[in-house]
Every structure is written in C-alpha cells, then in structure tokens.
Amino acid sequence: GSELHHIVDPRTGAPAATGLVGAVVTSRRAWEADVLAKAVVIAGVDAAFPMLAAAGADAWLFPTTGSPLTTACMRGTLEVNP
C-alpha cells in the first residue's frame, strides 16, 4: 500500500496529493489558522504563499520531499534535525 493524506481534496474526493504533507499556520484567529492549514495543503505549494499573504498569516509548510518551507516571518524559527 501507499501512504495517503487524511485531508480530502473536494475537487477530486480523494486524499490531497499536492506535494505538501502538512502545514502549521499562525493567524490572529485559531479557526482561521486551522482552515488555512487545510486549504494550503489542498491548494499546494504554488498557491500556498499567495493565499497566506492575502490572509495576513504565516506558516511552515512541509513538502513531501526536501526541507520545510516558511513565510518570511517564520524563517529561522524552526530547527530541523535529520
């Protein structure tokens, strides 16, 4: 079997397969951060940063491969141990 994401893409009805396995979002409101975290995973990396900027939110994005990605405000705030 293959690993599938628990967030379902409403466009396909299948688990999101956008190159992101997770996101941690900070926002002024907890509910907004929760919604944005799910939305950026469904939207994918290319759409994530404009979406976060429009909402005035910051995030750590975790791609399926490679190092975590961050908005400018979050750079240097996450230490990743191999």
Side-chain angles (χ1 to χ4, degrees), residues 11-34:
R11 298 169 293 191
T12 64
T18 60
L20 288 175
V21 294
V24 175
V25 177
T26 62
S27 184
R28 284 171 259 141
R29 296 170 204 87
W31 67 265
E32 186 176 56
D34 185 51

Side-chain angles (χ1 to χ4, degrees), residues 28-44:
R28 284 171 259 141
R29 296 170 204 87
W31 67 265
E32 186 176 56
D34 185 51
V35 169
L36 284 167
K38 291 174 178 69
V40 298
V41 169
I42 291 169

